[in-house]
Amino acid sequence: MPKGKNHSSKRTTLHQKYKIQKKVKEHHRKARKAEKDRIKKQGGKIAYLRKKDPGVPNAWPFKEEVLREAEEHKEKLAKAKAEEILQRKRLREKQRKQLQAGRAIGSSSGNSLAALRNSAMARQNDFELQEENMRAARKTGD
């Protein structure tokens, strides 16, 4: 049976074609930028900004020693980074425990208000002392 003329043509104007290409290009650019921002937020480096290790030439007389030293240096950096992360984790845990202990102890409003007042007075005294030192320094400098 012959087909009818109910189907529409797939032809588009050149204006519409280029407009679509422009939109696609803009979308890809925005996607690349969003990916870069996501990587930067996570603290990583973008692949093409990373420094490539040039390696050690085969002609070097002590190539194995240089490679070993480089490997030891990498391990040392990795251990230091792991230790720093562990230390931060311990510090956060300690602060969290102190905060919980402070909430448990300072549950009575009178005790916590008195402690807050005392700390505010101490900070005010420190500030006034620093201000006096600054004035004295200005007078001697002039």
Side-chain angles (χ1 to χ4, degrees), residues 8-135:
S8 60
S9 174
K10 293 185 180 179
R11 285 189 176 187
T12 59
T13 62
L14 290 177
H15 173 72
Q16 194 171 15
K17 175 184 172 182
Y18 296 135
K19 185 175 154 185
I20 291 170
Q21 285 178 352
K22 184 178 162 186
K23 292 278 188 181
V24 168
K25 186 177 181 182
E26 183 181 344
H27 171 73
H28 289 314
R29 183 179 58 81
K30 284 184 179 180
R32 282 193 309 267
K33 186 173 189 225
E35 182 66 18
K36 276 189 207 175
D37 291 342
R38 185 185 64 80
I39 290 171
K40 282 183 184 178
K41 264 187 185 173
Q42 292 176 349
K45 278 201 168 188
I46 303 167
Y48 63 86
L49 291 179
R50 284 191 210 126
K51 301 231 179 200
K52 189 175 178 182
D53 184 17
V56 181
N58 285 333
W60 276 28
F62 302 107
K63 179 181 176 181
E64 291 177 8
E65 289 180 25
V66 172
L67 289 175
R68 193 173 345 105
E69 287 175 7
E71 187 65 31
E72 288 172 1
H73 182 68
K74 278 184 184 180
E75 288 175 6
K76 185 178 177 182
L77 288 177
K79 283 182 183 179
K81 190 173 184 179
E83 182 63 33
E84 185 180 336
I85 291 171
L86 188 62
Q87 194 174 17
R88 281 191 208 148
K89 192 173 180 180
R90 287 179 187 154
L91 182 63
R92 274 189 305 231
E93 185 69 24
K94 186 178 178 183
Q95 288 174 346
R96 188 181 61 80
K97 285 182 181 180
Q98 285 178 350
L99 184 63
Q100 286 178 348
R103 285 183 183 163
I105 293 171
S107 60
S108 61
S109 61
N111 189 16
S112 62
L113 285 177
L116 181 63
R117 181 176 172 274
N118 290 338
S119 69
M121 291 296 286
R123 283 184 281 145
Q124 183 180 3
N125 291 337
D126 290 341
F127 177 74
E128 289 172 356
L129 186 64
Q130 287 177 350
E131 205 171 57
E132 287 176 21
N133 291 339
M134 292 288 284
R135 286 186 194 140

